[in-house]
Amino acid sequence: MQPLILCVPQRLEIGAPFTHFSHQRLPIMRSLPPNSRRQFLQSLAAAGTAGILIRSPRRALGNQSANDRPVFATIGLRNQGWEITGKSFKFADFAALADIDANVLAENVEKVEKRQGKKPDAYSDYRKVLDRKDIDAVMIATPDHWHTKIAVEAMYAGKDVYCEKPLTLTIDEGKLIEKVVKETGRVFQVGTMQRTELEQRFLQAIALIRHGRIGTVKKVTCGIDAMEASPQIPVAPVPEGLDWDFWLGPAPEVAYRALPELRVGYGGGVPLYSNCHYSFRNWHEYSGGKLTDWGAHHVDIACWALGATETGPSKVTPVQYSLPVEYKDGYPTVDDRYNAATTFRIRAEMPGGVELIITSEGDNGILFEGTEGRFFVNRGRISGKPVEDLKDNPLPEGAIEEVYGGPVSENHTANFVEAMKSRKQPISDVWSHNRMLEICHLSNIAMRLGRELQWDPVKREIVGDDQANAFLSRESRKGYEINA
Ligand SMILES: NC(=O)c1ccc[n+]([C@@H]2O[C@H](COP(=O)([O-])OP(=O)(O)OC[C@H]3O[C@@H](n4cnc5c(N)ncnc54)[C@H](O)[C@@H]3O)[C@@H](O)[C@H]2O)c1
């Protein structure tokens, strides 16, 4: 059954007091190259809608009055959920939290109460959050296999959405999210914060390319690290407080597995080897290994820099790779250890003959190579001759803002909240995200099947390979289907 969509004719002006938005059909502004972005704005101005689309020059939102502040809820709290919640207190009030792990939920209710001075309501079932009319937006930081279902239901419930990367588990989930964003007009930010944060280093990289500082780009190499393999992981008792069946959700029903050794450092405090918290990344049932975990960040910047935000590769070749278990017809033959690729070198043929390499070797970061030079960028540095040359020959004023499409927001949540007010799509829009994530998903399909794939970026289908095309979607477990 199609959900009821209300179209509210009222125009929301920048800076208007925050109201709880109804479903509106919104103009869609993707990450366009500067010229088309300008043309897009001009066409909207001509249509009389520019007033709600052009970014306000005053971007800081920290000094809003209390009733300007949107009401948020976070769904999935343990690691990244807390990280993005923590970065958002300046811009929003958190009325509710949801997690299927009672211990994680209780711990985060306490942390949020400490930070904002008001206790959020706690729910084990995210649908209770979506039922609440006072919540304007949800931040989703569950494992990847839940993203699409929760995001779609949230949009139909009238919420704007900030959802962690990688947005989807399959290519067709991306198409579905695009359809629902269009249909409901909700504002949707993907959590690829490299677009906004990290001292604007990635924006500077794109500006260098746009200003011809390495000539014509020929090759882009994304180093995204090797993935760990695991020993055999035995079936184990489900920890108290964890609703394992709900954690699995749309994924196939399997037993909980874990070894006693604990993960330390980033994401730590849970079993180092399991098929649940944090380690879900290493299983194709819940995620896509490094290709989607880190690929979602660096391939995103690579495609933005290449202006390939509305297209895709013609061919994806798994040049070298190792899978930690044997595969048959694209599926792992055992279910008791990690199954995502451990090492890999993927080559994608991008428009204009640009070679895009995604590799587990070398430093984590992106190497851009052109006819007149090369440079490297990652979260900690940007280096190379074109960067050194900036001392004598800086980029023109406003070059970074031109990449961003306006003054750079204070952080990725600030950008989301600004978009919620202006009712245009934020910096990490679903369209460009899905395009670049298609390369990451195709890389995984190519490795699982052990062959090169031809891709039609217009039809968004694999050419002449029915078996590979079957991997564009995945059936949800009964009771967890997505109704859209
Ligand atoms: N943007 C970034 O740099 C960045 C960094 C880390 C993680 N992430 C992304 O964030 C997501 C979560 O990763 P993580 O490391 O925090 O994983 P995690 O396993 O540590 O935490 C996920 C949390 O979601 C909860 N959860 C699972 N299903 C749920 C459901 N149906 N409803 C409510 N809660 C549910 C789990 O109980 C857990 O608390 C992943 O998609 C990951 O790729 C992004």
Side-chain angles (χ1 to χ4, degrees), residues 78-80 99 144 146-147 164-165 277-278 281 297:
R78 207 193 68 85
N79 179 37
Q80 183 66 2
D99 202 294
D144 314 353
W146 263 109
H147 288 176
E164 268 309 331
K165 50 51 58 179
H277 293 328
Y278 194 87
R281 290 162 167 75
H297 285 301

Side-chain angles (χ1 to χ4, degrees), residues 161-173:
V161 176
Y162 181 122
C163 184
E164 268 309 331
K165 50 51 58 179
L167 184 53
T168 61
L169 191 66
T170 66
I171 288 175
D172 282 358
E173 282 186 357

Side-chain angles (χ1 to χ4, degrees), residues 183-239:
E183 211 171 291
T184 61
R186 305 320 301 172
V187 167
F188 200 121
Q189 175 86 301
V190 186
T192 42
M193 76 295 181
Q194 288 188 169
R195 286 192 173 204
T196 302
E197 302 176 11
L198 288 311
E199 292 161 21
Q200 305 180 2
R201 217 167 267 123
F202 295 97
L203 294 172
Q204 190 183 16
I206 297 170
L208 280 167
I209 286 162
R210 293 224 181 135
H211 287 270
R213 298 299 172 91
I214 61 168
T216 306
V217 181
K218 290 290 181 195
K219 184 175 177 183
V220 187
T221 305
C222 297
I224 58 169
D225 305 327
M227 186 58 113
E228 62 205 305
S230 75
Q232 193 258 348
I233 309 172
V235 171
V238 175

Side-chain angles (χ1 to χ4, degrees), residues 449-470:
L449 291 171
R451 58 177 175 263
E452 179 173 282
L453 304 174
Q454 314 285 329
W455 176 245
D456 182 334
V458 177
K459 289 193 186 146
R460 298 167 86 179
E461 280 172 13
I462 297 162
V463 180
D465 191 334
D466 291 344
Q467 189 186 24
N469 267 320

